[in-house]
Amino acid sequence: MLRASAGLDTECFVIDNGSTDGSLAYLQPLFPTVSFIENGGNPGFAKANNQVLPLCTGEYVLFLNPDTLVPEDAFRSCLSYIKAQPAAGAMGVRMVDGRGRFLPESKRSFPSPLTAFFKLTGLAAAFPRSGWFNRYALGNLDEFANHKVAVLAGACLLVQRELLLQLQGFDENYFLYGEDIDLSYRIRQAGYENHYFAGTTILHFKGESAGSNSLRHVKYFYEAMQVFVRKHYRGGSRKLLVLFLQAAIVLRGFLSAGKRLIKPLRWPLADLFTVWISLLSFRFFWVQQFRNGKDFGVHLLDYGLMLCALLFVSVAAFAGLYDQRGRISQLFSSLLFAVISLLALYSLLPESLRFSRGVMLWGSLLAVVIMLLLRRFFQQPGQSSEEDATVVVASAGDYSKLLPLLQKEMMDEWLLGRISPQAGDEEAIGALAALPTLSHQLGIKRVIFCIGDLRLQEVLPVMQACRQQPLRFLFNASGSNSIVGSQTGAPGTSIITPFVSYAIAEPYQQRMKRLVDLAIAILFLITLPLHLFLQPRFGGFVQNIFLVLLGKRTWVGYASPLNRLPVIKEGVVTFMGKHTLFAPDVREQADRRYAKQYDWWEDARTVVRYYRQLGG
């Protein structure tokens, strides 16, 4: 934003609505020209913006969300446009999300019974370019052309200051959502126009935020619409629209609950059916080919095969089959573990219940093949078969400044190298313009843009060219010692976006860590008399066994208590042994490597290696 303000007479206010993550203390020293205002709590978007309005002295006031990135030419382009439109009271701009996809809330119409009906029934989403069905998002208007519109988004809203003072700013009855619709309505009532300007594009990460689609946020949105309707509408249309909005809250609640319930069960149910059908098929095949059509004669065999299928899927799930970021190796190992477990448990059954090892073996293997083929054609969202390959788009100078941060935080294991902003750079693996092609050729999953010598206005067209590809875009302001992007974590840390994936946070590894803790604790408990002679601190050792059994501690933990890593229980020992022998920065770096490359087998080895320290 400050780069876009260069050469303009501007003043910048940042309002902190009761953050608890150290944002203010982190940001204030970095931006001495910015006026920071700290609120003790969160009074809401409207009230927080209004409290700054009396302090503004410029001809225009720009309301800008913190989860936005603004290209260097944006403010000049906006000012040139609005000054050339004498009837324009306010203007908004074209916005894209963190993947380069257009955000339809950039231009909207006012709510009405018909628009609410189309949105509620899903017709608006089914026909996104229709001016009739998607009239709320003005789907018929070209996103790349300027238009007079009804409603502008508060995420980036430029308004005449005198008009804002006349209208007394935002209506503070809105806490979240709706205040921009209300202000747009009152601007029109005052005789001014609202303009959508496509001559510049900004990045608004909100469009990729899962939280913005949660039931709570949907409820906020529809309740805000009700406030707007009750305030500005009269007669029968008001009652009808309020009824639609109330119905929308209830319907979206049911849909959201149903989606949360059904979505995680889709693959397990499909796999359960696959294993069951595979076992039934091989049972039929075995009977016809090897038993001359004579069935096995085992009582309730049909139900038994369903139980076998349920056991198979349950074991595979425990082994990590449905973990969202499961690797190919984990997929194979979980299925193999399920096959072996099924055969092992089958062998333990009484003779009267066993019918055919061949059916169990070949039926389960057929199920594995079908399950792998299904995943080949219908890859689970969020799953990654390989680690995320990363490239940095930067000049050689900016790249050298960023590299220490990358080495510290992600240890550059999957850093493929640098892409140059310009063609002809022989040290780079390619040029920015070729990124859509390079991402396919090199299997790139993550792109870090270093905004310094490279300008954001050069980046946005390339992002939009890649918007159909599964790329994640992150941004580093040269020299800022931080990286930001969609779904960012707490500011105040050396790296803001948690784009590093830690193995220790994966559900599979968490389950296995707990299982290993329990197995080791039970083994120690069974062999307790032996440890009376081997453990130098036997009392502490026994106490630690029970703390681990109760889930209060883990056998192996971090070496530093001040790291910013996935949370685990306090360790009886650390993977470094007597970690106090090492400097704090060494311990923190070692913790990162332990969390990132974690494997449950290492915990077992560490317990053996530092056995004599387990009583500490």
Side-chain angles (χ1 to χ4, degrees):
M1 193 200 74
L2 294 180
R3 285 164 64 97
S5 302
L8 298 174
D9 185 11
T10 62
E11 52 194 359
C12 179
F13 300 91
V14 172
I15 307 160
D16 181 87
N17 278 348
S19 67
T20 58
D21 55 10
S23 304
L24 214 57
Y26 172 72
L27 293 172
Q28 278 180 313
L30 297 177
F31 302 99
T33 61
V34 174
S35 299
F36 290 89
I37 298 174
E38 183 177 11
N39 288 327
N42 184 6
F45 180 88
K47 190 170 184 178
N49 279 296
N50 283 350
Q51 73 184 86
V52 181
L53 190 54
L55 305 177
C56 298
T57 59
E59 184 180 356
Y60 295 94
V61 175
L62 174 68
F63 299 103
L64 188 67
N65 272 23
D67 56 348
T68 56
L69 291 178
V70 181
E72 294 78 4
D73 64 344
F75 294 167
R76 291 183 182 276
S77 299
C78 288
L79 288 172
S80 297
Y81 177 82
I82 197 170
K83 288 180 178 180
Q85 309 294 329
M91 65 171 289
V93 300
R94 182 175 180 272
M95 298 188 295
V96 297
D97 68 10
R99 293 186 183 271
R101 299 169 299 196
F102 175 67
L103 290 174
E105 61 260 36
S106 302
K107 50 179 177 62
R108 289 170 288 171
S109 66
F110 294 120
S112 70
L114 202 55
T115 57
F117 174 75
F118 290 150
K119 188 173 178 65
L120 182 61
T121 57
L123 288 170
F127 303 97
R129 298 193 179 279
S130 169
W132 176 252
F133 292 117
N134 195 23
R135 56 171 58 191
Y136 181 63
L138 301 174
N140 61 314
L141 297 185
D142 184 1
E143 65 181 91
F144 295 102
N146 302 331
H147 301 284
K148 297 177 186 177
V149 297
V151 178
L152 300 170
C156 181
L157 181 61
L158 185 67
V159 191
Q160 293 184 23
R161 185 175 70 92
E162 291 300 325
L163 177 58
L164 270 175
L165 294 174
Q166 174 189 331
L167 298 176
Q168 298 181 338
F170 291 107
D171 185 337
E172 296 179 8
N173 289 313
Y174 299 90
F175 178 79
L176 182 65
Y177 301 126
E179 60 282 305
D180 48 3
I181 300 176
D182 180 89
L183 182 61
S184 297
Y185 185 89
R186 290 186 287 126
I187 289 173
R188 290 268 295 263
Q189 279 189 319
Y192 292 87
E193 297 171 348
N194 295 316
H195 283 244
Y196 165 78
F197 178 54
T200 191
T201 300
I202 74 164
L203 208 58
H204 185 201
F205 292 118
K206 173 209 171 186
E208 204 179 351
S209 167
S212 64
N213 292 320
S214 68
L215 178 59
R216 182 166 59 93
H217 282 258
V218 168
K219 184 173 182 288
Y220 279 144
F221 174 78
Y222 283 108
E223 286 178 346
M225 294 302 97
Q226 289 186 63
V227 173
F228 176 82
V229 169
R230 289 191 174 105
K231 177 180 177 181
H232 295 293
Y233 286 35
R234 297 290 181 269
S237 62
R238 168 181 171 175
K239 294 179 181 178
L240 182 61
L241 189 49
V242 168
L243 182 64
F244 270 121
L245 293 170
Q246 290 173 341
I249 296 174
V250 176
L251 180 60
R252 288 295 293 269
F254 279 116
L255 292 175
S256 178
K259 185 177 180 181
R260 286 199 301 270
L261 180 65
I262 294 172
K263 187 175 181 180
L265 294 177
R266 289 180 302 172
W267 279 100
L269 290 175
D271 292 340
L272 180 65
F273 181 76
T274 298
V275 178
W276 182 55
I277 291 297
S278 298
L279 292 174
L280 282 176
S281 300
F282 256 95
R283 171 198 175 187
F284 177 79
F285 172 80
W286 212 266
V287 167
Q288 297 300 318
Q289 296 297 320
F290 300 106
R291 295 178 60 87
N292 296 319
K294 183 181 178 181
D295 205 353
F296 293 103
V298 176
H299 186 56
L300 299 177
L301 180 56
D302 291 335
Y303 298 102
L305 291 178
M306 175 54 76
L307 288 175
C308 288
L310 184 61
L311 174 66
F312 184 102
V313 172
S314 300
V315 172
F318 180 84
L321 180 61
Y322 304 109
D323 293 345
Q324 282 297 301
R325 294 191 60 82
R327 302 174 181 85
I328 286 292
S329 58
Q330 185 174 320
L331 176 64
F332 277 104
S333 63
S334 61
L335 290 174
L336 180 61
F337 185 53
V339 171
I340 294 172
S341 299
L342 182 62
L343 294 174
L345 290 171
Y346 172 80
S347 67
L348 297 176
L349 292 175
E351 185 68 31
S352 59
L353 296 179
R354 295 203 299 267
F355 58 97
S356 172
R357 286 189 296 271
V359 169
M360 299 301 293
L361 172 62
W362 293 107
S364 58
L365 290 178
L366 174 63
V368 168
V369 172
I370 296 174
M371 291 162 71
L372 291 173
L373 288 174
L374 287 174
R375 279 158 175 77
R376 173 65 179 84
F377 290 104
F378 305 101
Q379 183 71 18
Q380 288 172 270
Q383 268 201 327
S384 175
S385 58
E386 302 293 340
E387 298 295 351
D388 289 345
T390 303
V391 293
V392 177
V393 183
S395 65
D398 286 338
Y399 181 70
S400 64
K401 296 175 185 176
L402 179 62
L403 197 56
L405 177 63
L406 296 178
Q407 291 171 334
K408 177 183 178 183
E409 296 293 344
M410 66 179 285
M411 295 167 286
D412 67 359
E413 286 130 76
W414 305 296
L415 184 59
L416 298 182
R418 179 176 67 89
I419 289 180
S420 173
Q422 308 296 332
D425 188 337
E426 295 182 358
E427 296 180 356
I429 60 177
L432 175 61
L435 180 60
T437 304
L438 289 171
S439 64
H440 280 302
Q441 294 175 339
L442 302 177
I444 297 169
K445 299 297 182 184
R446 193 164 44 205
V447 181
I448 303 173
F449 294 107
C450 188
I451 307 300
D453 296 331
L454 172 67
R455 297 185 302 170
L456 185 61
Q457 63 195 68
E458 300 173 87
V459 168
L460 288 170
V462 178
M463 282 182 60
Q464 292 168 78
C466 298
R467 63 183 178 274
Q468 301 301 327
Q469 300 182 30
L471 295 176
R472 186 175 181 192
F473 298 112
L474 304 166
F475 298 84
N476 162 259
S478 181
S480 68
N481 200 39
S482 64
I483 296 175
V484 297
S486 301
Q487 301 173 350
T488 55
T493 61
S494 61
I495 186 163
I496 295 180
T497 302
F499 67 95
V500 183
S501 57
Y502 293 101
I504 203 168
E506 295 174 2
Y508 166 74
Q509 294 291 6
Q510 289 179 341
R511 290 193 299 269
M512 293 306 296
K513 184 174 180 62
R514 179 60 182 151
L515 186 62
V516 168
D517 278 346
L518 290 173
I520 293 174
I522 292 171
L523 178 63
F524 283 158
L525 203 57
I526 293 172
T527 58
L528 196 58
L530 179 64
H531 301 289
L532 181 62
F533 303 99
L534 299 176
Q535 267 293 335
R537 299 181 63 182
F538 182 75
F541 176 72
V542 174
Q543 182 182 11
N544 286 333
I545 290 176
F546 284 100
L547 287 174
V548 171
L549 286 172
L550 293 172
K552 303 293 185 182
R553 298 185 76 176
T554 181
W555 286 117
V556 182
Y558 294 135
S560 172
L562 301 177
N563 55 47
R564 298 178 299 277
L565 297 171
V567 177
I568 61 174
K569 300 293 183 182
E570 180 186 355
V572 175
V573 295
T574 79
F575 59 96
M576 301 176 68
K578 292 183 178 180
H579 58 277
T580 52
L581 300 176
F582 300 92
D585 59 334
V586 174
R587 299 203 300 266
E588 287 185 21
Q589 186 68 10
D591 279 347
R592 287 194 189 92
R593 188 170 294 277
Y594 170 73
K596 190 160 181 47
Q597 301 177 346
Y598 175 79
D599 190 272
W600 59 269
W601 180 245
E602 285 299 320
D603 274 6
R605 293 177 58 185
T606 300
V607 168
V608 174
R609 186 183 304 121
Y610 299 115
Y611 167 79
R612 294 183 63 80
Q613 299 179 24
L614 297 180

